[in-house]
Amino acid sequence: MQIVACIKQVPDTTQVQIDPVTNTLVREGIPFIVNPYDTHALEEALRLKDRFGCRVAAISMGPPNAEATLRKALALGVDDAILLSDRVFGGADTLATSNVLAAAIRKLHEQEEVGVVLCGKQTIDGDTAQVGPGIATRLGYTQLTLVDRIEHIDLEKRAIRVRRKLEGRHEIVEAPLPVLLTVVRELNRPRYPTVPRRLESADAEVKTWSNQVMQLPEPTIGLKGSPTWVSRIFSPERDKGEIIGDGVQDPEGTANLLIDKLLSKDLLAL
Amino acid sequence: MTPTPAIFTPMLIAAGIFFVWSCYRRFSLVTLGQPDDRFDRLGRRIGDMFLYAFGQKRVVAKPFGINHFIIFWSFMVLLLANGEFLVKGVIPALSLALLPAPLYHGLLLAFDLVSLLTLAAILLAFARRIFFPPAYMSTAYVKARSVEGFLILAFIALLMIAYFGLHGAEIALGSEPAAAFMPVSSAIARLLQSSPSAVSLQSVAWFCWWLHALVLLAFICFLPHSKHMHILTAIPNCFFASLEKPNTQPREEFVKGGEFGVDKVDSFTWKDLFDSFSCTECGRCQNACPATATGKPLNPRQVIHAIKTNLLTNGPLLQRDGAHVIPLIGEEGEGSNTEETIWSCTTCGACMEACPVLIEHMPKIIKMRRHLVEMKSTFPDELLNLFENMEQRSNPWGIAPSERTKWCATMEIKPFEKGVTEYLFYIGCAGTFDSRSKQVTVALATILNAAGVSWGILGKEEKCCGDSLRRLGNEFVFDRMAKENVELFRQKGITKVIVQCPHCFSTLKNDYRQYGLELEVIHHGELIDQLLASGRLKLNQQVKDLGRVLFHDSCYLGRHNDVYDAPRDVLRSATGQAPLEMERSRNNSFCCGAGGGRMWMEEFSGERINLNRVDEALRQNADTICTACPYCMTMFEDGLKDRQAGQTRVRDIAEVVAEGLRPV
Ligand SMILES: Cc1cc2nc3c(=O)[nH]c(=O)nc-3n(C[C@H](O)[C@H](O)[C@@H](O)COP(=O)(O)OP(=O)(O)OC[C@H]3O[C@@H](n4cnc5c(N)ncnc54)[C@H](O)[C@@H]3O)c2cc1C
Ligand code: SF4
Ligand code: SF4
């Protein structure tokens, strides 16, 4: 049984700015990182490998330079790294993206049965959180989203029990394998690559699957397969704050003012 | 008293064989270590050996060290007397009496007086161990009042007593023609003559001769098995000591299949192992260490002792192709270091500064850190973010590199231009991103402009120097960052660099030299000092309102790079007064707690190091604590807040000088 982790290369959003004229992301000179949630998905896959000795494959759809992301995954210990890259995959929305990723997982399944697919909860650039569920739907897998702990997993009995992190509560759910999990950061602490692994991964192979390999019909992928497109991106205007009272002259009075203000805005509960 | 060679000779031969065999057993263990060239620049090595071993420079730095100085030199003189004793024991006709009379008599006088001096020094040492042993003489495994310590002192005392007994009795018997040259022994002789005891003088002489002989042989046999082995190793250890400041760790070569760092005793270099055999258990490193002082599990002396214990246990097995039975890094134990021990070091270098026999503690700790980070990826949780931030954004906080020029929003700053600008002002990550340190950067920029210095910055192209990574053992990423920086500096034609952070200072100056980049790096303390001295920088007013000003030495400026006077001179020029000194200052300065990557880690056990230092500063009633390092500044400001000492402020020396530039 093998585990698949879906990882996406994203621009380091702390460094992203939006071009005010074209309304597009200024991507020039911005370093790329592995989507932070995906590092936790990858870590969990590697922990399952440590526990059960199963194979782990990391897949990513993206431009050729996304290879760097997969090389990192190799340095961390995955067995296969597959880059889904082709011009015809470009311009995909979440539907087209999950079509390609699901097809890749199916292909991996032909080589060895896939038991668990791990995705991040969402990405930090697209932020839709739709791709994970999209893949699960297309593959007919049970989807367990927002997982912050794997309570129990038995590959033989093909069962998993996880904890989901919901607003203000947790939910424990069980499902038969195969499953797709989307994970949150609380799940684990990602590992740091050892030097020997880094050195080995430097010339390990990242496989590229183009559409010649995948053979997907063009209307289901890329721009053509994407019913959604982004019409405008902009930074919202934010209301400026105000200065209330005089904290130096009258600290007590000012503190009272501040508390009233916060209470009136429902930002503070009594 | 005539010796009996027929009995003594076989005993001497047996003791000699045992001694040689023991030494061989021990020193062959050293050859298990990895190669390290310590045979270069012989002239300097010999010089160091004379200064530190024979001159006992570090030993006498502490008051009680004088006692050791006396014992050491007496030992050297008495080596001759004891040599004669052994030879005469085998061939009674061979003695120093064959030398020209004036020389012989001179020697006799020297032996006699020196023996008395030794006896006095030994009694003092006894008293110290019994009545007032300093806390730093004991560790969990080696106590000040150890049997071994007393046994050795007793051996030496008995040798002296036997010496006087033997010669006193011979003089009393009238069989010593040179009695006139042995005043102390003569006094003993008079005592023996007047004593009513029934024992004959003959038997006293006989007894003392054999006592001397047996103690001497026992000493010879015991020596290689005790901490007193340092008699044999300390002198060569000073000869083989690092000629560079040992805080610059050797590079690692990253090839596939390699092992990185050290987790087995035989992965250390032979010199690391030799160090462990040279430790005198004096405890000075332990007394100087900020980690030990604040209750962390690290004790530099125990680190060295653990290596020795580990080698003595595992070494003989390894020689027989066996396996290690105790781990070098593992649970608490006499021959192991725990991970917490290894992470507690601030790399302040106080241990190495204190060690009388020039043992290099800190590089060994870094080697073990390298193993933990590079081979096992186990390190305190807080470091994961640091490592990722450094690798991804080349600064410890993970702030976007595009924000590197934000500090100079209020100033007109020029980029460094090849062939045009003289100095690169390498701002450093703290000076760039830390809000408090940014004020220092601005102050320094103002000073440079006022003095008309030609300077520029790298702006968004500046990258972290990698100091924390190197000290934390993440040599792999440091290596990459160093190579990038070296390449950048070369491309830009940078040769002269101004820095305001001692960590950047030491890294650019010492560590990058290993990458073939020779830079003229100047810390702002030195630069401002030069500008003031040459008259290029003139202050508009003397800074008066800082009250009692005190200076704290940063480890990476002081101990690691010997810059002590320049910042003090700067403060004297700016305030008109020499700064106050703390109890521990200059090369004995106490770390602020932030070095060695500790800046980025939590301090879970013991007292906080910065509080220990803040308390020391507050004892001097300082109104202003001056620093010359962004880390020290953070540690002091945090510590003062914790102590609620709001009336005391922290200033960088540049801020004090900038204050003096304000028009009156
Ligand atoms: C600013 C911006 C806004 C966008 N808005 C929309 C929109 O409103 N509607 C729309 O349909 N598309 C949108 N897109 C395009 C869309 O985000 C991406 O094309 C789509 O591939 C992934 O969606 P996501 O990034 O939101 O992923 P999410 O659904 O948030 O990702 C969840 C998880 O799926 C996995 N995953 C996602 N993408 C990949 C990949 N390429 N390779 C491997 N694993 C992956 C990861 O594990 C990830 O953590 C937008 C793109 C950007 C940059
Ligand atoms: S370098 Fe400093 S902290 Fe580290 S062991 Fe030596 S004295 Fe202690
Ligand atoms: S390492 Fe040096 S300073 Fe420390 S106990 Fe040994 S000899 Fe003394």
Side-chain angles (χ1 to χ4, degrees):
Chain A
M1 189 173 281
Q2 66 173 323
I3 314 284
V4 181
C6 302
I7 58 176
K8 185 185 180 189
Q9 168 177 283
V10 294
D12 187 348
T13 45
T14 55
Q15 305 185 38
V16 169
Q17 276 145 3
I18 294 173
D19 188 316
V21 183
T22 59
N23 269 338
T24 53
L25 299 181
V26 185
R27 288 182 182 243
E28 252 141 74
I30 302 296
F32 286 98
I33 58 173
V34 184
N35 178 43
Y37 290 100
D38 301 358
T39 61
H40 297 273
L42 190 58
E43 173 63 27
E44 204 58 31
L46 293 169
R47 288 188 185 190
L48 291 174
K49 174 180 172 175
D50 293 345
R51 257 173 79 189
F52 301 109
C54 44
R55 282 184 81 79
V56 171
I59 60 174
S60 183
M61 184 181 92
N65 70 11
E67 191 197 308
T69 294
L70 288 162
R71 206 158 279 295
K72 266 206 169 142
L74 281 168
L76 289 168
V78 303
D79 303 291
D80 293 302
I82 297 151
L83 176 64
L84 310 167
S85 191
D86 197 312
R87 283 192 164 272
V88 295
F89 297 157
D93 68 359
T94 54
L95 177 67
T97 304
S98 23
N99 275 337
V100 174
L101 291 172
I105 294 166
R106 230 175 257 130
K107 217 171 142 52
L108 283 167
H109 184 79
E110 285 165 17
Q111 295 164 6
E112 185 179 346
E113 183 192 358
V114 173
V116 183
V117 176
L118 287 138
C119 286
K121 168 190 152 205
Q122 67 192 69
T123 60
I124 57 167
D125 62 343
D127 274 315
T128 65
Q130 292 174 5
V131 171
I135 298 171
T137 308
R138 252 132 238 123
L139 292 174
Y141 287 10
T142 312
Q143 48 170 302
L144 303 173
T145 53
L146 307 178
V147 170
D148 77 347
R149 189 181 325 162
I150 294 184
E151 300 262 324
H152 174 79
I153 175 162
D154 191 330
L155 298 185
E156 307 260 291
K157 296 203 181 117
R158 313 174 61 80
I160 188 168
R161 184 165 70 241
V162 301
R163 192 172 82 174
R164 302 181 62 223
K165 183 175 178 259
L166 306 174
E167 199 135 321
R169 67 202 146 96
H170 285 126
E171 197 178 87
I172 307 235
V173 284
E174 283 182 0
L177 300 187
V179 287
L180 180 139
L181 314 182
T182 77
V183 307
V184 295
R185 292 181 188 226
E186 290 78 0
L187 178 65
N188 54 37
R189 171 182 177 267
R191 68 192 61 192
Y192 190 71
T194 64
V195 172
R197 285 229 59 123
R198 283 195 202 233
L199 295 174
E200 276 160 34
S201 72
D203 30 55
E205 190 201 5
V206 172
K207 291 177 205 133
T208 301
W209 288 358
S210 66
N211 204 34
Q212 283 203 306
V213 182
M214 304 282 291
Q215 298 287 344
L216 298 171
E218 294 213 2
T220 62
I221 56 172
L223 204 56
K224 285 189 195 151
S226 297
T228 340
W229 67 92
V230 182
S231 69
R232 188 160 97 92
I233 308 175
F234 56 94
S235 306
E237 292 288 322
R238 222 184 272 170
D239 290 347
K240 270 232 162 94
E242 58 175 316
I243 293 173
I244 52 166
D246 183 341
V248 179
Q249 296 300 328
D250 177 19
E252 215 165 297
T254 314
N256 286 333
L257 264 176
L258 181 64
I259 290 169
D260 288 345
K261 193 104 196 163
L262 293 174
L263 282 172
S264 74
K265 292 199 177 240
D266 251 358
L267 290 169
L268 206 64
L270 275 183
Chain B
M1 149 85 207
T2 328
T4 1
I7 303 176
F8 181 69
T9 309
M11 289 172 75
L12 177 64
I13 291 173
I17 290 173
F18 185 71
F19 175 78
V20 171
W21 177 78
S22 305
C23 287
Y24 171 77
R25 284 287 305 275
R26 284 230 155 170
F27 293 123
S28 69
L29 293 178
V30 171
T31 62
L32 287 170
Q34 304 303 308
D36 183 6
D37 181 16
R38 298 281 181 131
F39 291 92
D40 57 330
R41 288 176 281 174
L42 293 176
R44 260 202 65 195
R45 293 194 175 281
I46 293 170
D48 280 1
M49 184 175 72
F50 272 96
L51 186 63
Y52 293 101
F54 294 108
Q56 303 256 295
K57 183 174 177 216
R58 293 270 180 87
V59 177
V60 296
K62 285 209 159 215
F64 206 79
I66 310 284
N67 208 53
H68 185 274
F69 183 85
I70 290 172
I71 297 177
F72 173 81
W73 274 104
S74 307
F75 182 86
M76 295 310 256
V77 172
L78 296 180
L79 215 50
L80 194 59
N82 287 300
E84 187 213 24
F85 180 89
L86 295 178
V87 172
K88 232 168 114 181
V90 180
I91 312 168
L94 259 188
S95 96
L96 290 173
L98 298 174
L99 290 171
L103 182 59
Y104 174 57
H105 293 152
L107 282 175
L108 281 186
L109 181 64
F111 294 160
D112 207 56
L113 295 178
V114 161
S115 294
L116 183 65
L117 204 60
T118 306
L119 194 56
I122 292 292
L123 291 178
L124 255 176
F126 252 121
R128 179 174 183 239
R129 276 182 191 260
I130 296 172
F131 301 113
F132 46 96
Y136 63 78
M137 282 188 78
S138 300
T139 67
Y141 303 103
V142 184
K143 303 288 178 211
R145 297 192 184 121
S146 70
V147 177
E148 191 185 324
F150 286 122
L151 196 61
I152 284 166
L153 290 178
F155 274 158
I156 304 175
L158 281 177
L159 280 179
M160 299 305 124
I161 291 168
Y163 174 90
F164 286 127
L166 172 62
H167 291 283
E170 283 185 336
I171 293 171
L173 285 167
S175 58
E176 176 57 74
F181 301 96
M182 305 166 84
V184 185
S185 301
S186 299
I188 302 289
R190 282 193 292 281
L191 219 71
L192 286 174
Q193 276 163 341
S194 62
S195 102
S197 103
V199 230
S200 76
L201 289 171
Q202 273 297 348
S203 44
V204 169
W206 182 89
F207 175 77
C208 287
W209 193 92
W210 275 106
L211 179 67
H212 196 277
L214 290 176
V215 170
L216 196 57
L217 294 185
F219 193 73
I220 290 172
C221 293
F222 185 56
L223 197 67
H225 297 273
S226 72
K227 79 180 178 86
H228 242 63
M229 188 168 49
H230 81 262
I231 294 183
L232 304 175
T233 50
I235 297 171
N237 207 54
C238 290
F239 176 86
F240 290 124
S242 170
L243 295 179
E244 305 298 338
K245 289 269 181 179
N247 64 313
T248 302
Q249 291 85 37
R251 284 179 63 178
E252 283 187 313
E253 215 186 310
F254 295 105
V255 282
K256 249 205 226 173
E259 290 254 341
F260 310 102
V262 168
D263 79 322
K264 290 192 267 323
V265 75
D266 50 324
S267 303
F268 277 123
T269 67
W270 68 267
K271 175 60 171 58
D272 289 322
L273 305 182
F274 198 74
D275 268 356
S276 80
F277 283 160
S278 306
C279 176
T280 71
E281 304 281 3
C282 73
R284 290 182 187 212
C285 52
Q286 147 179 8
N287 189 37
C289 175
T292 315
T294 56
K296 311 291 184 291
L298 167 65
N299 176 345
R301 167 183 172 191
Q302 172 52 30
V303 170
I304 302 301
H305 185 80
I307 294 173
K308 174 171 150 183
T309 311
N310 194 293
L311 181 62
L312 289 176
T313 315
N314 289 328
L317 300 173
L318 296 175
Q319 283 175 325
R320 279 177 262 127
D321 291 325
H324 297 255
V325 287
I326 43 172
L328 183 66
I329 304 175
E331 300 288 301
E332 169 69 43
E334 191 173 357
S336 307
N337 300 290
T338 66
E339 289 185 17
E340 198 190 347
T341 299
I342 293 167
W343 291 114
S344 295
C345 177
T346 70
T347 68
C348 73
C351 48
M352 298 186 288
E353 185 75 20
C355 182
V357 294
L358 309 185
I359 284 171
E360 295 146 24
H361 316 68
M362 190 251 270
K364 300 178 183 37
I365 297 174
I366 303 286
K367 285 176 189 173
M368 292 188 275
R369 284 185 174 183
R370 283 180 177 177
H371 171 82
L372 292 175
V373 173
E374 298 183 327
M375 299 299 291
K376 292 181 64 191
S377 282
T378 49
F379 41 78
D381 285 356
E382 313 90 271
L383 293 182
L384 184 65
N385 263 337
L386 175 81
F387 289 168
E388 299 280 4
N389 289 339
M390 287 288 211
E391 210 168 336
Q392 267 163 26
R393 302 190 189 142
S394 203
N395 71 77
W397 293 278
I399 299 171
S402 53
E403 305 207 349
R404 279 208 178 253
T405 43
K406 276 203 169 162
W407 68 270
C408 55
T410 55
M411 290 181 100
E412 177 91 20
I413 305 291
K414 291 202 190 78
F416 180 91
E417 250 183 281
K418 190 174 184 167
V420 179
T421 323
E422 184 184 357
Y423 283 103
L424 165 72
F425 179 9
Y426 181 86
I427 317 288
C429 298
T432 302
F433 298 118
D434 177 75
S435 56
R436 180 67 185 87
S437 296
K438 279 197 254 185
Q439 298 172 329
V440 179
T441 312
V442 171
L444 182 52
T446 314
I447 295 169
L448 296 178
N449 286 341
V453 174
S454 154
W455 65 281
I457 61 169
L458 286 171
K460 291 175 188 166
E461 284 180 88
E462 187 178 304
K463 293 190 162 83
C464 176
C465 68
D467 162 76
S468 289
L469 290 180
R470 188 160 227 210
R471 318 302 160 210
L472 285 167
N474 197 337
E475 183 72 7
F476 183 80
V477 179
F478 170 79
D479 188 67
R480 275 223 297 244
M481 290 170 70
K483 282 178 182 153
E484 279 175 22
N485 271 324
V486 166
E487 180 55 31
L488 180 69
F489 278 42
R490 285 220 177 98
Q491 247 176 39
K492 298 257 173 194
I494 293 161
T495 54
K496 294 167 138 192
V497 188
I498 302 167
V499 291
Q500 58 155 313
C501 169
H503 296 267
C504 303
F505 179 62
S506 206
T507 308
L508 298 189
K509 187 175 160 187
N510 305 321
D511 298 71
Y512 283 10
R513 198 180 295 144
Q514 296 175 333
Y515 291 81
L517 183 70
E518 290 279 349
L519 293 169
E520 189 185 317
V521 191
I522 187 162
H523 182 264
H524 70 298
E526 298 172 292
L527 182 67
I528 300 174
D529 186 35
Q530 287 171 16
L531 293 173
L532 285 169
S534 66
R536 272 179 78 184
L537 181 66
K538 289 199 178 60
L539 302 186
N540 295 323
Q541 55 172 312
Q542 206 156 62
V543 183
K544 282 285 166 227
D545 49 3
L546 293 178
R548 289 165 60 85
V549 174
L550 170 142
F551 182 69
H552 158 83
D553 290 277
S554 140
C555 307
Y556 275 74
L557 191 59
R559 256 191 308 266
H560 290 328
N561 288 292
D562 293 323
V563 179
Y564 297 113
D565 292 322
R568 289 178 166 78
D569 291 346
V570 167
L571 286 176
R572 192 181 295 115
S573 305
T575 65
Q577 266 171 357
L580 299 172
E581 298 287 348
M582 282 184 261
E583 291 143 38
R584 298 170 288 193
S585 82
R586 302 181 73 97
N587 63 332
N588 294 320
S589 176
F590 190 78
C591 181
C592 70
R598 295 279 338 165
M599 177 77 184
W600 320 109
M601 293 156 79
E602 299 294 336
E603 222 175 312
F604 291 113
S605 45
E607 177 204 11
R608 296 185 68 89
I609 295 179
N610 65 334
L611 291 182
N612 184 304
R613 187 60 165 167
V614 160
D615 290 344
E616 187 177 350
L618 291 176
R619 282 201 290 280
Q620 301 295 333
N621 291 322
D623 300 304
T624 307
I625 298 170
C626 278
T627 57
C629 169
Y631 292 174
C632 298
M633 165 152 316
T634 305
M635 293 318 251
F636 271 103
E637 292 207 325
D638 288 355
L640 286 170
K641 265 180 228 143
D642 279 358
R643 286 292 187 245
Q644 303 195 321
Q647 72 289 357
T648 307
R649 51 180 118 55
V650 187
R651 290 282 180 277
D652 187 275
I653 51 172
E655 293 178 296
V656 177
V657 174
E659 195 68 12
L661 283 175
R662 284 223 306 258
V664 203

